[in-house]
Amino acid sequence: MTEPRALTGLSQIADQYDAVLCDAWGVVHNGQRLYDGVGEALTQFQATRGPVIILTNAPRLSDVIPAQLDSLGLSRDAYTRVVTSGDATRAAVTQRADSAFFKLGPSKDETLFSALPISFVPLDEADVIVCTGLFNEMTETPEDYRDMLKDAARRNIPMICANPDKVVKLGDQLIYCAGAIADVYAELGGNVIYGGKPHAPIYELSRDVLRDKGLPADARLLAIGDGVQTDILGANEQNIDVVFVAEGIFSEESRDDSGHLDTGKLAQLLKKHGVHAEYAMDGLVW
């Protein structure tokens, strides 16, 4: 079992890479505040090396994310583009545009739903489910949806999951995401279609952006993330080197009793999930 190399800053390896694919929630911010040092790290990489793409499983279209990052204090000099799971979801939905859809998710995701060229119907009339999350992520759990989804699974209605994340940290609180509902649906025998990390479509969109920016197909990419089964697994499957950041949902499993990164504990965590990371950091700094 090889332990990831612990980094004190991105500058230690920046000259080995041409572009960065950086997760947002759990790496750049916690939903309420920007992590210290992140803005400088990404801005310096862009200034000295190449493009930074914010690669997020947010179930919204990419054009709404910059304003959210603005509100948290991240300069637009820190990244070139945003690519979201919502972008990949729109592509999956468009392929089935003649179907009748049921929308499952909170009101904050209406920007995605309103941008889709489809009609919505009650669940018992639907051909496809589009799931962006729980109706109320602060009070509900995925188990609250099991009974509601049983008949849809029995009828073999596919679910397009707009956010493969199962949980995220909002401040210090863990809240459920669409991926957790998708797990319940799969347990019921339902067919789930994913577009976000760790699945290929969101990476294909990212590579399209990099090609538009003039990077060659063999550009050296570095992924940065905190999600073991999303960011890390996705990078592994795409043969992209990856930095694990210990700020997010696996912070306790990857840090020692004093709260610092423990590469031995992290190696055990990664081995448990069948993934690997080349590097690891306490938090993303330059």
Side-chain angles (χ1 to χ4, degrees), residues 27-267:
V27 174
V28 173
H29 64 83
N30 68 357
Q32 297 178 333
R33 69 173 182 86
L34 198 69
Y35 291 124
D36 294 339
V38 167
E40 180 190 10
L42 297 182
T43 300
Q44 286 289 344
F45 187 92
Q46 283 230 133
T48 62
R49 293 301 308 154
V52 171
I53 293 180
I54 301 296
L55 191 66
T56 170
N57 272 351
R60 290 171 285 285
L61 297 181
S62 54
D63 58 4
V64 306
I65 303 299
Q68 297 173 0
L69 297 175
D70 289 348
S71 70
L72 293 168
L74 184 67
S75 168
R76 297 200 183 190
D77 291 334
Y79 58 97
T80 295
R81 282 280 298 276
V82 177
V83 176
T84 70
S85 185
D87 295 337
T89 297
R90 177 165 61 178
V93 167
T94 301
Q95 294 172 2
R96 300 164 177 81
D98 292 336
S99 301
F101 288 79
F102 174 75
K103 59 180 177 180
L104 172 52
S107 58
K108 68 180 181 181
D109 296 335
E110 283 298 324
T111 54
L112 172 60
F113 292 132
S114 62
L116 299 176
I118 55 176
S119 60
F120 291 105
V121 298
L123 181 56
D124 59 2
E125 300 175 18
D127 304 312
V128 183
I129 300 168
V130 181
C131 178
T132 64
L134 290 70
F135 288 128
N136 191 328
E137 62 195 16
M138 305 306 296
T139 63
E140 296 177 328
T141 73
E143 284 300 315
D144 294 329
Y145 292 81
R146 186 175 293 272
D147 286 344
M148 184 185 85
L149 294 171
K150 281 181 178 177
D151 184 61
R154 182 187 59 78
R155 292 192 289 129
N156 201 33
I157 294 176
M159 172 186 286
I160 298 175
C161 177
N163 178 1
D165 287 353
K166 303 179 195 306
V167 294
V168 294
K169 287 182 75 173
L170 178 60
D172 294 325
Q173 179 184 0
L174 286 176
I175 59 173
Y176 288 105
C177 302
I181 295 183
D183 282 352
V184 170
Y185 198 60
E187 289 172 11
L188 292 170
N191 173 35
V192 182
I193 300 163
Y194 298 94
K197 297 174 289 184
H199 305 279
I202 195 169
Y203 294 97
E204 293 167 2
L205 291 176
S206 300
R207 286 190 168 97
D208 288 343
V209 171
L210 294 175
R211 279 193 292 272
D212 289 345
K213 295 298 177 182
L215 268 69
D218 61 352
R220 299 167 297 173
L221 307 184
L222 178 69
I224 304 175
D226 71 304
V228 171
Q229 286 297 317
T230 51
D231 307 310
I232 310 304
L233 176 59
N236 290 175
E237 292 185 343
Q238 296 293 318
N239 295 314
I240 298 171
D241 288 355
V242 61
V243 180
F244 173 89
V245 175
E247 290 278 23
I249 57 176
F250 290 100
S251 59
E252 292 184 6
E253 292 92 333
S254 58
R255 287 176 164 165
D256 59 26
D257 292 340
S258 63
H260 296 106
L261 175 68
D262 183 326
T263 55
K265 286 183 67 175
L266 173 57

